[in-house]
């Protein structure tokens, strides 16, 4: 598994971004995928998780209703669609994979593989 997150950028409050998590190793379909973020001066936060089949998803309360996680196993890619972005969503976003079907998804230690992050900046 070789993960890389893409799609970050600068957006105004209320805008949208779609992040992609691509596995160039071609085995992401065997793993659940979690999304995390780390804002300056803050702890890393588990944002969302999607099971291997995509049938089960989880969201942190801070993003629930504004974020949708999905995946395309044929493309070894997971997505994080973020809408109604707020300045407090500004962070580096990371994707990671685990084989616990999102068990304890907010707990970073449950993830084996991590990708390089992508910066999301939301201006007010």
């Amino acid at each position: 598994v070789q993960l890389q997150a893409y799609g970050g950028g600068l957006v105004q409050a209320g805008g949208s971004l779609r992040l992609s998590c691509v596995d160039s190793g071609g085995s992401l379909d065997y793993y659940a995928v979690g999304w995390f973020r780390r804002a300056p001066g803050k702890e890393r936060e588990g944002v969302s998780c999607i099971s291997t089949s995509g049938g089960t998803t989880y969201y942190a309360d801070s993003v629930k209703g504004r974020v949708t996680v999905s995946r395309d196993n044929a493309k070894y890619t997971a997505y994080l669609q973020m809408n109604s972005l707020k300045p407090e969503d500004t962070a580096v976003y990371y994707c990671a994979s685990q084989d616990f079907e999102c068990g304890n998804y907010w707990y970073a230690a449950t993830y084996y593989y991590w990708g390089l992050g992508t910066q999301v900046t939301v201006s007010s």
Side-chain angles (χ1 to χ4, degrees), residues 9 12 15 18 22 44 47 54 60 66 70 75 94 112 114 118:
Q12 289 188 328
R18 187 175 82 156
V22 180
R44 179 168 45 189
V47 174
R66 301 186 296 118
S70 62
K75 296 182 178 179
Y94 301 87
Y112 295 141
W114 290 80
T118 185

Side-chain angles (χ1 to χ4, degrees), residues 91-103:
V92 178
Y93 285 71
Y94 301 87
C95 60
S97 62
Q98 56 143 252
D99 59 7
F100 301 115
E101 290 292 30
C102 296

Side-chain angles (χ1 to χ4, degrees), residues 13-94:
S16 299
L17 282 174
R18 187 175 82 156
L19 306 183
S20 299
C21 175
V22 180
D23 173 24
S24 60
S27 59
L28 194 62
D29 50 329
Y30 291 108
Y31 298 94
V33 177
W35 287 93
F36 286 77
R37 66 185 181 184
R38 175 166 278 168
K42 293 189 176 180
E43 299 272 331
R44 179 168 45 189
E45 177 188 15
V47 174
S48 182
C49 189
I50 185 166
S51 62
T52 52
S53 68
T56 304
T57 56
Y58 299 88
Y59 299 97
D61 288 342
S62 58
V63 301
K64 199 171 292 182
R66 301 186 296 118
V67 166
T68 303
V69 64
S70 62
R71 66 190 298 159
D72 183 341
N73 284 342
K75 296 182 178 179
Y76 308 111
T77 301
Y79 304 96
L80 191 71
Q81 176 68 45
M82 302 190 295
N83 301 321
S84 302
L85 283 163
K86 305 175 181 180
E88 50 264 44
D89 293 318
T90 295
V92 178
Y93 285 71
Y94 301 87

